[in-house]
PDB file of all heavy atoms in Angstrom:
ATOM      1  N   LEU A  60      10.874-201.584 -35.120  1.00  0.00           N
ATOM      2  CA  LEU A  60       9.452-202.141 -35.322  1.00  0.00           C
ATOM      3  C   LEU A  60       8.821-202.590 -34.147  1.00  0.00           C
ATOM      4  O   LEU A  60       7.600-202.278 -33.766  1.00  0.00           O
ATOM      5  CB  LEU A  60       9.561-203.219 -36.415  1.00  0.00           C
ATOM      6  CG  LEU A  60       8.191-203.820 -36.761  1.00  0.00           C
ATOM      7  CD1 LEU A  60       7.243-202.719 -37.286  1.00  0.00           C
ATOM      8  CD2 LEU A  60       8.327-204.964 -37.774  1.00  0.00           C
ATOM      9  N   LYS A  61       9.572-203.376 -33.306  1.00  0.00           N
ATOM     10  CA  LYS A  61       9.022-203.906 -32.044  1.00  0.00           C
ATOM     11  C   LYS A  61       8.576-202.717 -31.152  1.00  0.00           C
ATOM     12  O   LYS A  61       7.402-202.733 -30.548  1.00  0.00           O
ATOM     13  CB  LYS A  61       9.987-204.763 -31.401  1.00  0.00           C
ATOM     14  CG  LYS A  61       9.432-205.564 -30.203  1.00  0.00           C
ATOM     15  CD  LYS A  61      10.503-206.450 -29.550  1.00  0.00           C
ATOM     16  CE  LYS A  61       9.872-206.996 -28.296  1.00  0.00           C
ATOM     17  NZ  LYS A  61      10.882-207.668 -27.494  1.00  0.00           N
ATOM     18  N   ASP A  62       9.419-201.657 -31.076  1.00  0.00           N
ATOM     19  CA  ASP A  62       9.183-200.581 -30.150  1.00  0.00           C
ATOM     20  C   ASP A  62       7.854-199.820 -30.710  1.00  0.00           C
ATOM     21  O   ASP A  62       7.085-199.415 -29.885  1.00  0.00           O
ATOM     22  CB  ASP A  62      10.270-199.566 -30.123  1.00  0.00           C
ATOM     23  CG  ASP A  62      11.537-200.137 -29.392  1.00  0.00           C
ATOM     24  OD1 ASP A  62      11.271-201.189 -28.651  1.00  0.00           O
ATOM     25  OD2 ASP A  62      12.603-199.627 -29.381  1.00  0.00           O
ATOM     26  N   GLU A  63       7.818-199.701 -32.000  1.00  0.00           N
ATOM     27  CA  GLU A  63       6.720-198.971 -32.612  1.00  0.00           C
ATOM     28  C   GLU A  63       5.335-199.635 -32.295  1.00  0.00           C
ATOM     29  O   GLU A  63       4.321-199.068 -31.896  1.00  0.00           O
ATOM     30  CB  GLU A  63       6.897-198.786 -34.145  1.00  0.00           C
ATOM     31  CG  GLU A  63       5.878-197.847 -34.732  1.00  0.00           C
ATOM     32  CD  GLU A  63       6.052-197.695 -36.253  1.00  0.00           C
ATOM     33  OE1 GLU A  63       7.063-198.223 -36.772  1.00  0.00           O
ATOM     34  OE2 GLU A  63       5.123-197.137 -36.815  1.00  0.00           O
ATOM     35  N   ILE A  64       5.361-201.017 -32.385  1.00  0.00           N
ATOM     36  CA  ILE A  64       4.176-201.836 -32.184  1.00  0.00           C
ATOM     37  C   ILE A  64       3.818-201.653 -30.701  1.00  0.00           C
ATOM     38  O   ILE A  64       2.660-201.413 -30.350  1.00  0.00           O
ATOM     39  CB  ILE A  64       4.432-203.279 -32.530  1.00  0.00           C
ATOM     40  CG1 ILE A  64       4.624-203.440 -34.000  1.00  0.00           C
ATOM     41  CG2 ILE A  64       3.136-204.049 -32.134  1.00  0.00           C
ATOM     42  CD1 ILE A  64       3.568-203.070 -34.939  1.00  0.00           C
ATOM     43  N   ALA A  65       4.858-201.719 -29.877  1.00  0.00           N
ATOM     44  CA  ALA A  65       4.536-201.687 -28.423  1.00  0.00           C
ATOM     45  C   ALA A  65       3.988-200.309 -28.046  1.00  0.00           C
ATOM     46  O   ALA A  65       3.001-200.252 -27.256  1.00  0.00           O
ATOM     47  CB  ALA A  65       5.839-201.979 -27.600  1.00  0.00           C
ATOM     48  N   SER A  66       4.433-199.246 -28.609  1.00  0.00           N
ATOM     49  CA  SER A  66       3.850-197.914 -28.223  1.00  0.00           C
ATOM     50  C   SER A  66       2.532-197.740 -28.835  1.00  0.00           C
ATOM     51  O   SER A  66       1.650-197.095 -28.231  1.00  0.00           O
ATOM     52  CB  SER A  66       4.837-196.795 -28.426  1.00  0.00           C
ATOM     53  OG  SER A  66       5.397-196.896 -29.673  1.00  0.00           O
ATOM     54  N   ALA A  67       2.322-198.251 -30.066  1.00  0.00           N
ATOM     55  CA  ALA A  67       1.048-198.229 -30.691  1.00  0.00           C
ATOM     56  C   ALA A  67      -0.023-198.899 -29.764  1.00  0.00           C
ATOM     57  O   ALA A  67      -1.119-198.469 -29.591  1.00  0.00           O
ATOM     58  CB  ALA A  67       0.922-198.854 -32.046  1.00  0.00           C
ATOM     59  N   LEU A  68       0.435-200.106 -29.206  1.00  0.00           N
ATOM     60  CA  LEU A  68      -0.556-200.866 -28.298  1.00  0.00           C
ATOM     61  C   LEU A  68      -0.872-200.024 -27.065  1.00  0.00           C
ATOM     62  O   LEU A  68      -1.987-199.946 -26.624  1.00  0.00           O
ATOM     63  CB  LEU A  68       0.244-202.165 -27.958  1.00  0.00           C
ATOM     64  CG  LEU A  68       0.170-203.289 -28.885  1.00  0.00           C
ATOM     65  CD1 LEU A  68       1.090-204.382 -28.534  1.00  0.00           C
ATOM     66  CD2 LEU A  68      -1.237-203.927 -29.056  1.00  0.00           C
ATOM     67  N   ALA A  69       0.134-199.407 -26.525  1.00  0.00           N
ATOM     68  CA  ALA A  69       0.001-198.627 -25.277  1.00  0.00           C
ATOM     69  C   ALA A  69      -0.919-197.448 -25.512  1.00  0.00           C
ATOM     70  O   ALA A  69      -1.844-197.114 -24.646  1.00  0.00           O
ATOM     71  CB  ALA A  69       1.314-198.198 -24.710  1.00  0.00           C
ATOM     72  N   ALA A  70      -0.697-196.767 -26.708  1.00  0.00           N
ATOM     73  CA  ALA A  70      -1.558-195.534 -26.919  1.00  0.00           C
ATOM     74  C   ALA A  70      -3.040-195.958 -27.086  1.00  0.00           C
ATOM     75  O   ALA A  70      -3.875-195.317 -26.650  1.00  0.00           O
ATOM     76  CB  ALA A  70      -0.976-194.845 -28.208  1.00  0.00           C
ATOM     77  N   LYS A  71      -3.166-197.036 -27.867  1.00  0.00           N
ATOM     78  CA  LYS A  71      -4.475-197.496 -28.117  1.00  0.00           C
ATOM     79  C   LYS A  71      -5.218-197.918 -26.803  1.00  0.00           C
ATOM     80  O   LYS A  71      -6.367-197.613 -26.631  1.00  0.00           O
ATOM     81  CB  LYS A  71      -4.547-198.642 -29.150  1.00  0.00           C
ATOM     82  CG  LYS A  71      -5.836-199.170 -29.454  1.00  0.00           C
ATOM     83  CD  LYS A  71      -6.657-198.165 -30.271  1.00  0.00           C
ATOM     84  CE  LYS A  71      -8.068-198.747 -30.620  1.00  0.00           C
ATOM     85  NZ  LYS A  71      -8.861-197.879 -31.447  1.00  0.00           N
TER      86      LYS A  71
END
Side-chain angles (χ1 to χ4, degrees):
L60 177 60
K61 191 178 172 191
D62 289 347
E63 189 183 350
I64 299 292
S66 43
L68 282 164
K71 180 68 182 181

